[in-house]
Amino acid sequence: CELFFAGAAAASPSGVTAVKGSPPAMATAISTAMLANTGFDKRALLHGRNAKPLPEEVDVVVIGAGLLGLMAAARLKKNGHKVAVLEQRSIVGGIWSMYANSTSQVNSSEGGYNIKDLLPEGSPRKAADNRDHSTAAEILKDIAALGDSLADVIYTRVSVAKVLGTNGDYTTVVSDLNGRGGEGVAAVDGADRA
């Protein structure tokens, strides 16, 4: 039995690798090639404590540093808003950081999963192409890069106790789980908005 395959997983300089042997040996070679570059170390999503104290006033408080929270924060910050992202856990990525496995695939041609336009210029992930059905590893690498670009406004280990207010004038009451003086408050003043 003989099998030829080409692409990034092919080991030869010509880009084509021939695999000869028994069907089980060929199945192992194919499996190994297909899983190449699908791993992701979720420790890359870990965000240390923000050295800055929680802000007392911002334009927008984003609760949660999952995919959509990070995307919202990036767009708001890009449009000149002062943003604080509050995340209860020590890592960003939300559900992706908990349940995605190395071989899961997602339709990243949908706008909700294609975040390249939100990554800063010069980010190595900005130039990395995602396939129409990207692996979880590709999405997690993009989430990690987006989280890194927002590190100055992400506050991890902050639990939101309640949000008070009406008509765009809100106060977010939080507990800082980092031991930085107990509770804090971030106020959002709707009067400054257009």
Side-chain angles (χ1 to χ4, degrees), residues 52-192:
K52 298 185 301 185
L54 287 167
E56 292 185 17
E57 189 169 325
V58 295
D59 298 326
V60 181
V61 174
V62 176
I63 300 173
L67 176 62
L68 295 180
L70 294 174
M71 290 176 74
R75 286 191 173 116
L76 288 162
K77 190 175 173 185
K78 184 177 181 178
N79 287 317
H81 295 282
K82 186 176 176 188
V83 179
V85 179
L86 309 179
E87 171 58 50
Q88 184 170 345
R89 299 181 320 137
S90 297
I91 62 175
V92 300
I95 197 164
W96 280 93
S97 66
M98 294 185 287
Y99 298 111
N101 64 52
S102 295
T103 57
S104 296
Q105 290 188 323
V106 64
N107 186 357
S108 54
S109 62
E110 295 177 10
Y113 293 111
N114 192 342
I115 60 176
K116 302 294 186 189
D117 62 323
L118 300 175
L119 298 176
E121 293 301 324
S123 169
R125 290 299 307 158
K126 190 168 184 85
D129 290 331
N130 284 4
R131 298 172 274 165
D132 280 344
H133 288 82
S134 297
T135 63
E138 291 169 324
I139 301 298
L140 287 166
K141 288 175 186 173
D142 290 346
I143 291 171
L146 187 56
D148 289 345
S149 75
L150 294 167
D152 63 322
V153 298
I154 296 174
Y155 296 86
T156 58
R157 299 200 27 82
V158 174
S159 177
V160 175
K162 58 181 117 179
V163 178
L164 306 169
T166 59
N167 299 324
D169 189 12
Y170 298 96
T171 299
T172 307
V173 181
V174 302
S175 293
D176 188 342
L177 306 174
N178 290 300
R180 292 183 288 204
E183 294 190 9
V185 175
V188 178
D189 183 3
D192 294 338

Side-chain angles (χ1 to χ4, degrees), residues 39-57:
F40 180 77
D41 185 350
K42 290 185 181 178
R43 291 177 291 188
L45 298 171
L46 184 64
H47 273 255
R49 184 183 113 176
N50 191 327
K52 298 185 301 185
L54 287 167
E56 292 185 17
E57 189 169 325

